[in-house]
Amino acid sequence: MKYLLLPAAALSLGLAAFGLSSFTLQPSVSVAETFAPSDPNTTDEQPQDHKLVIYQMMTRLFGNKTAVNKPYGTLQENGVGKFNDITGPALQAIKKLGASHVWYTGVIEHATMTDYTKQGIALDDADVVKGRAGSPYAIKDYYDVNPDLAVDVKNRMREFEDLVKRTHDNGLKVIIDFVPNHVARTYKSDAHPAGVADLGEKDDKNVAFAPNNNFYYLPGKPFVVPAGYNPLGTLKGPREDGKFQENPAKATGNDVFSEAPKVDDWFETIKLNYGVDYQNGRKKHFEQTPDTWLKMRDILIFWAKKDVDGFRCDMAEMVPVEFWAWVIPELKKVNPKLVFIGEAYDAKTYKMYIEQGHFDYLYDKVGLYDGLRRLMRGEGTTEDITKVWKEESRGIANHMLRFLENHDEQRIASKDFAGNPRAAIPAMTVSATLATGPVMLYFGQDVGEPAHGSEGFSGEDGRTTIFDYWGVPEHQKWMNGGKFDGGRLSPEQRQLHDFYARLLTLTSQSDAIRRGRFYELQDANNLDAQYNQRQLYTYVRYTGKQKLLIVVNFSPDKTYRPTIRIPQNVMQLMGLNPQQFYTYSELLSQAPAVETLNLTLAPQSAYIFEINPKK
């Protein structure tokens, strides 16, 4: 579907502000100079098309129309989104944003303070639950879905299966979470297939570690709820008494081998044992396939057979790479097209988890995200971007998932981050177009959701809560009572949303962005007095079919008027004749093609020019 682009005159976000300065292409090196792998402005990585465009939603928040937003509010007070709220119109609206995949966050059943005992689900203890709604990463049953998300709780799995089919029918693919490192302290599967032994059911609890135990134990020591934990503020949670019966205590999810974890630990979770003896030099016992490996494989197969297209794997680096090296090929025997995305934060191990662990994609958080965050806050320089492609993701850029928001990170528009959603315009353009790997958008990002307010457990932290029942106000304006037409958005929000739609649709359709090579033009332009290379960033992406010039300005308040230079050797690399005349079309604004550009780089602006021979 071709997305209609607004004319330049309709834009007021600095997407394409044209002024009086000239834009020309000037040769700066001899024709004899040619590309070599040692060229410091590019890489020799062979581009591959991995341009997924992922729309992440916190599923319980996405379709919630209730706007009460009472701190620590119950499901009945604050409402909750359902699988059935993600309708055909909702999915079409997501697809019009350029998305190819939807990551439904928080699908699998997790611990919660909401009482579902009448539906046969055991009540959780508030002393080991974070937030009224509970963390979607404290899994209570790997074989079931979150009852909050169902209109008919007893029919909850069918409602999820219908959502998967509805998503596919609307031309989108489905990603769900796989949380392999830890489970809720109250884990007990009611829904596992017949004949499947539950996690921990056959463990020897008299020993701290055994290769085929599913958990780690602290024999002779009962679990102690962290001192001072107050689940619901002044309110009282279910079964709350400062105690939780677990004897012997199990190791906590963030590798804490103590019966008394601290309140800022992942105390609501217990660590799974993949055959690594953490307390004895992390010795690995993989001579026989550990039982936890087999159980996790079967859980993944269970979901793959429900037509799920991929898994976002929580805290992938906390699970041994040997497990991934074994399990991902096992799953691809079931469905070769399954996608595995790893949440990863240690740049030194990226290549290992891709090459040895067989992950399709890894988070690029500590590289590009952190660098762009500094730029958006006025604290960094574009040298951070150069460092990412030149060092941190060199050779693996095809496999790095880029993003500016997700459920763990602060909202761009929050006072804790940039305080202004327009700061995302240059940064999101770089995220989406720097390489051929996937890009992700978090729900509400496209309308500048600022995450104002203290939701309860989450507090006032610049994030949209994953622990509480809540309505997301600016997203609700786009949702417009279930029409998903943006009918309640302000003019500024519509412009921001349209920017994301144009950028991500272009990203999903452009041959140069999906498959093209990359060449940085910072060195070619740094002598221009109007080119502030700390705040401006310029590069080309090109294939035989398409040549793009991308220019962004990260400054929040300065306009620049540089004369952009594309060196003669770069023209030749792109397959262009330096002696020929060309036209330049700005694709984000869909401005008419011109032979020379009187370009003004407005504050927080982005420009993508397509270069074509003059006819």
Side-chain angles (χ1 to χ4, degrees):
M1 175 184 293
K2 181 176 175 59
Y3 195 85
L4 294 177
L5 303 181
L6 294 181
L11 306 179
S12 66
L13 283 174
L15 304 183
F18 294 92
L20 299 176
S21 66
S22 63
F23 175 101
T24 58
L25 303 177
Q26 300 180 7
S28 63
V29 296
S30 69
V31 177
E33 291 186 34
T34 57
F35 167 77
S38 59
D39 189 324
N41 298 300
T42 189
T43 74
D44 52 6
E45 180 175 357
Q46 185 63 41
Q48 298 173 344
D49 184 0
H50 290 278
K51 191 54 76 178
L52 284 58
V53 179
I54 301 170
Y55 182 93
Q56 183 198 2
M57 68 168 70
M58 186 66 202
T59 313
R60 85 159 86 94
L61 302 181
F62 178 84
N64 184 20
K65 303 179 186 69
T66 306
V68 173
N69 284 356
K70 174 184 175 182
Y72 295 107
T74 65
L75 182 154
Q76 292 74 21
E77 291 169 327
N78 282 354
V80 69
K82 306 289 186 180
F83 291 133
N84 289 359
D85 290 322
I86 308 166
T87 59
L91 292 164
Q92 280 300 308
I94 291 169
K95 191 176 182 185
K96 286 179 180 178
L97 273 165
S100 59
H101 292 65
V102 183
W103 167 14
Y104 293 115
T105 304
V107 163
I108 299 178
E109 184 183 349
H110 58 79
T112 178
M113 294 190 203
T114 299
D115 188 347
Y116 287 104
T117 52
K118 290 181 179 179
Q119 288 81 18
I121 299 171
L123 182 65
D124 291 306
D125 188 326
D127 293 296
V128 287
V129 179
K130 289 182 178 177
R132 178 80 75 176
S135 167
Y137 296 98
I139 299 298
K140 184 177 177 179
D141 188 345
Y142 277 122
Y143 286 100
D144 209 346
V145 297
N146 179 4
D148 281 350
L149 303 177
V151 174
D152 177 3
V153 173
K154 291 185 177 180
N155 198 33
R156 58 191 179 275
M157 187 60 79
R158 174 59 63 86
E159 290 187 24
F160 171 71
E161 292 166 349
D162 289 346
L163 173 63
V164 173
K165 183 179 186 301
R166 191 160 62 249
T167 306
H168 289 157
D169 288 347
N170 280 278
L172 294 160
K173 295 188 176 182
V174 173
I175 294 170
I176 65 168
D177 292 286
F178 174 53
V179 187
N181 176 68
H182 49 269
V183 295
R185 289 205 178 267
T186 53
Y187 186 91
K188 186 180 186 306
S189 178
D190 304 316
H192 63 70
V196 173
D198 209 2
L199 286 168
E201 186 177 319
K202 298 182 178 180
D203 280 7
D204 180 355
K205 300 178 183 179
N206 295 310
V207 297
F209 169 82
N212 279 318
N213 274 0
N214 298 135
F215 300 118
Y216 299 94
Y217 295 92
L218 297 151
K221 297 179 179 180
F223 174 76
V224 179
V225 173
Y229 180 52
N230 188 1
L232 294 177
T234 59
L235 306 173
K236 201 76 169 176
R239 301 172 62 185
E240 180 185 347
D241 59 3
K243 300 175 184 177
F244 178 72
Q245 295 301 313
E246 181 181 284
N247 193 3
K250 303 180 182 77
T252 291
N254 59 325
D255 298 352
V256 173
F257 287 77
S258 167
E259 77 280 9
K262 296 182 176 63
V263 73
D264 55 354
D265 286 320
W266 304 350
F267 67 86
E268 82 282 19
T269 69
I270 45 181
K271 175 84 174 177
L272 282 165
N273 172 10
Y274 283 80
V276 180
D277 190 351
Y278 282 82
Q279 294 181 290
N280 287 288
R282 294 178 177 252
K283 186 177 179 183
K284 298 176 180 179
H285 296 263
F286 302 154
E287 299 81 10
Q288 294 182 332
T289 306
D291 184 69
T292 301
W293 291 27
L294 299 170
K295 282 184 166 62
M296 293 296 109
R297 176 198 61 187
D298 293 346
I299 289 162
L300 285 164
I301 289 173
F302 172 83
W303 292 103
K305 288 186 174 179
K306 292 191 178 295
D307 290 334
V308 165
D309 301 292
F311 300 93
R312 178 270 187 188
C313 302
D314 187 69
M315 300 306 296
E317 293 168 317
M318 295 186 77
V319 173
V321 70
E322 292 87 351
F323 166 71
W324 299 114
W326 173 80
V327 81
I328 291 176
E330 287 285 296
L331 264 291
K332 293 203 174 184
K333 293 175 186 175
V334 177
N335 178 0
K337 295 183 179 179
L338 279 172
V339 170
F340 282 82
I341 301 168
E343 180 190 15
Y345 300 105
D346 183 359
K348 295 189 296 294
T349 66
Y350 285 172
K351 285 190 177 181
M352 180 176 72
Y353 276 84
I354 292 168
E355 295 171 1
Q356 183 182 337
H358 302 299
F359 272 98
D360 296 292
Y361 310 110
L362 296 179
Y363 271 35
D364 193 354
K365 194 274 181 189
V366 298
L368 192 62
Y369 169 88
D370 282 353
L372 292 175
R373 179 184 169 95
R374 287 190 290 271
L375 276 160
M376 295 163 73
R377 287 169 55 86
E379 299 167 351
T381 77
T382 59
E383 292 175 2
D384 288 335
I385 303 172
T386 302
K387 183 178 180 181
V388 168
W389 68 257
K390 188 173 283 191
E391 299 174 22
E392 291 178 349
S393 64
R394 192 180 187 96
I396 55 171
N398 296 325
H399 301 280
M400 301 310 293
L401 169 64
R402 271 69 193 256
F403 57 85
L404 294 184
E405 287 188 356
N406 63 41
H407 67 278
D408 285 320
E409 306 302 340
Q410 292 173 327
R411 292 287 192 173
I412 296 160
S414 75
K415 59 180 173 51
D416 303 277
F417 191 160
N420 179 2
R422 290 174 26 171
I425 291 170
M428 194 67 189
T429 301
V430 171
S431 289
T433 68
L434 190 67
T436 61
V439 63
M440 184 167 73
L441 178 75
Y442 192 39
F443 86 112
Q445 178 183 340
D446 54 301
V447 295
E449 171 57 42
H452 288 157
S454 177
E455 303 100 332
F457 180 85
S458 189
E460 181 86 41
D461 62 0
R463 296 173 177 85
T464 293
T465 181
I466 66 169
F467 303 101
D468 308 279
Y469 297 111
W470 202 250
V472 184
E474 306 311 312
H475 166 74
Q476 287 178 331
K477 293 177 182 178
W478 174 73
M479 189 167 58
N480 194 21
K483 295 179 182 178
F484 297 94
D485 60 0
R488 293 169 50 208
L489 296 177
S490 69
E492 292 78 16
Q493 287 177 311
R494 288 176 184 270
Q495 290 161 0
L496 185 69
H497 175 83
D498 289 346
F499 158 72
Y500 278 100
R502 287 192 299 277
L503 173 66
L504 295 177
T505 300
L506 174 62
T507 295
S508 68
Q509 296 175 352
S510 164
D511 191 66
I513 295 171
R514 295 188 70 98
R515 303 172 184 86
R517 288 194 173 274
F518 161 88
Y519 197 102
E520 185 184 270
L521 296 177
Q522 295 297 86
D523 286 348
N525 289 282
N526 63 10
L527 296 180
D528 189 309
Q530 273 286 305
Y531 194 89
N532 181 345
Q533 65 174 352
R534 296 173 63 84
Q535 294 187 313
L536 304 182
Y537 193 70
T538 304
Y539 53 101
V540 291
R541 297 289 311 283
Y542 61 94
T543 64
K545 294 181 180 178
Q546 189 180 41
K547 334 291 178 186
L548 298 180
L549 169 69
I550 300 163
V551 187
V552 299
N553 178 10
F554 285 97
S555 173
D557 52 18
K558 289 187 173 62
T559 297
Y560 295 101
R561 295 178 175 83
T563 299
I564 299 293
R565 297 166 60 93
I566 300 181
Q568 194 166 347
N569 70 316
V570 180
M571 296 285 285
Q572 292 174 319
L573 285 177
M574 290 192 289
L576 300 177
N577 180 354
Q579 309 307 319
Q580 190 170 345
F581 291 99
Y582 294 91
T583 60
Y584 315 99
S585 303
E586 208 293 303
L587 301 180
L588 288 177
S589 64
Q590 211 175 39
V594 294
E595 296 179 33
T596 59
L597 293 178
N598 294 323
L599 178 65
T600 297
L601 301 181
Q604 295 174 331
S605 61
Y607 310 80
I608 301 178
F609 297 100
E610 184 170 31
I611 306 171
N612 288 300
K614 181 183 177 182
K615 296 179 181 179

